[in-house]
Amino acid sequence: MSASMLYCGKVYISGARNKPALESIERAAKMFPDTAIVNKFDDETYNRVCYTLVSKSTDSLKNAVFSMFNAAYEAVDFDQHSGTHPRLGVVDHVCFHPLGSTSVQQVALIARALAKDVGSILKVPCYTYGAAHKDQRLLDAVRRELGYFKPNVTGQQWSGGLESEVLPLEPDEGPTQVVKAKGVVVIGASGWVVNYNAPVFCKDIGVVRRIARRVSGRGGGLASVQSIALVHDDVIEVACNLVEPSLVGVDQVQGAVEQLGAEAGVTVGKGYFTDLSPDDIIQTYFKMISSGQ
């Protein structure tokens, strides 16, 4: 089969500890046979899960993701959520990426259609970014305005719903007030983004925050790299988004974290990916479709 026209969606949900909820969400996606969950990355410390879905049909992919939204809102109460990873809602973030010869503009149409449905039918405030937004605004810009990067309780935890029902930034779709049990969602479209986390064996969050900032393009480090320091069990991870992985790769990110760690007198471990590569995703999809999974 040709991989010339495939569409990918990553769905990030705030909840990795509630197994019955995840089973319900996964069943919802499997109602659409042209779409497959090709990867699942869940982390109980972060209390966050990412599903990578692929389809040869834009309608099937959009409907599968919408069905996951519906199941998630029924099974998860955002006001009761807590974890060491920042989040804005039960379904925190959805990003669509082109695979093969598919264009970013094509997946942007899926993102905008999904945002419209989630806002109008499920009554959840939706913010768009990247190619799905008229001004091509960046994901981290939306998150920054909504207070995403600031823990709201002690111990570097994000806990409960948004503090105010009145949103500081007007959503692109949906109501202007938020229901705490659901939160809000950010939906976008872009080229491929690599998620890579490097562990730092240090208990001082301030030290690792300085490393994370200096690694990032925003902090004068590697262009097109976004990074944040997150507590994860016995280490603190420098969690990175590589927005242009063909220009700045994981070897450069790993090397930068190690160099900055050495300057700060802390040990840095080998990082890890949270998803498959685009080629592996395509191969996995076709294997699943051919086997009827």
Side-chain angles (χ1 to χ4, degrees):
M1 284 179 101
S2 170
S4 60
M5 295 293 286
L6 287 178
Y7 312 91
C8 178
K10 294 188 180 185
V11 183
Y12 295 84
I13 295 173
S14 300
R17 303 169 190 163
N18 186 338
K19 301 309 177 186
L22 298 187
E23 290 170 1
S24 174
I25 292 163
E26 290 161 25
R27 283 196 302 271
K30 290 175 181 177
M31 294 169 57
F32 301 88
D34 283 340
T35 297
I37 296 174
V38 298
N39 193 55
K40 173 185 176 182
F41 180 83
D42 58 341
D43 190 300
E44 292 197 2
T45 302
Y46 287 153
N47 203 8
R48 182 176 174 88
V49 60
C50 174
Y51 293 102
T52 302
L53 293 87
V54 175
S55 184
K56 54 190 176 183
S57 163
T58 58
D59 286 343
S60 178
L61 179 58
K62 189 206 76 167
N63 292 336
V65 175
F66 182 83
S67 186
M68 294 174 79
F69 267 84
N70 216 4
Y73 291 138
E74 289 181 1
V76 179
D77 183 348
F78 188 54
D79 213 24
Q80 303 301 313
H81 175 83
S82 66
T84 63
H85 196 291
R87 74 292 175 277
L88 294 169
V90 169
V91 185
D92 180 65
H93 174 209
V94 179
C95 50
F96 291 97
H97 305 290
L99 292 174
S101 63
T102 302
S103 70
V104 172
Q105 288 71 30
Q106 286 171 301
V107 293
L109 294 175
I110 309 174
R112 286 194 288 268
L114 177 67
K116 188 174 290 292
D117 284 354
V118 172
S120 62
I121 299 171
L122 300 180
K123 306 300 182 186
V124 174
C126 297
Y127 298 90
T128 58
Y129 75 91
H133 187 264
K134 59 183 177 62
D135 295 326
Q136 304 274 316
R137 70 180 170 192
L138 300 177
L139 171 61
D140 64 341
V142 180
R143 286 173 161 174
R144 194 164 284 106
E145 288 205 49
L146 294 173
Y148 178 88
F149 297 106
K150 297 178 181 178
N152 59 0
V153 293
T154 58
Q156 300 304 315
Q157 292 275 325
W158 281 260
S159 181
L162 298 177
E163 294 180 4
S164 173
E165 291 184 356
V166 179
L167 294 164
L169 179 66
E170 184 176 354
D172 298 295
E173 301 287 352
T176 56
Q177 289 192 314
V178 61
V179 175
K180 282 193 169 186
K182 294 182 178 180
V184 306
V185 63
V186 184
I187 301 174
S190 73
W192 193 256
V193 175
V194 170
N195 304 120
Y196 184 79
N197 298 346
V200 180
F201 297 94
C202 173
K203 299 290 187 181
D204 189 336
I205 186 70
V207 169
V208 187
R209 278 182 178 155
R210 287 191 287 274
I211 292 172
R213 180 164 183 82
R214 290 181 64 190
V215 167
S216 71
R218 181 178 172 83
L222 298 171
S224 74
V225 172
Q226 302 165 348
S227 56
I228 183 174
L230 300 175
V231 174
H232 190 271
D233 297 326
D234 295 329
V235 302
I236 302 174
E237 293 187 338
V238 178
C240 302
N241 292 337
L242 283 65
V243 179
E244 296 283 352
S246 62
L247 300 179
V248 178
V250 293
D251 289 344
Q252 290 168 273
V253 171
Q254 181 71 33
V257 177
E258 289 177 358
Q259 179 181 337
L260 292 167
E263 292 175 8
V266 296
T267 301
V268 174
K270 180 64 176 175
Y272 63 93
F273 298 94
T274 66
D275 204 350
L276 304 173
S277 70
D279 286 344
D280 287 342
I281 285 172
I282 291 170
Q283 290 180 20
T284 302
Y285 172 73
F286 284 126
K287 286 179 182 177
M288 294 180 72
I289 293 298
S290 63
S291 64
Q293 294 184 37

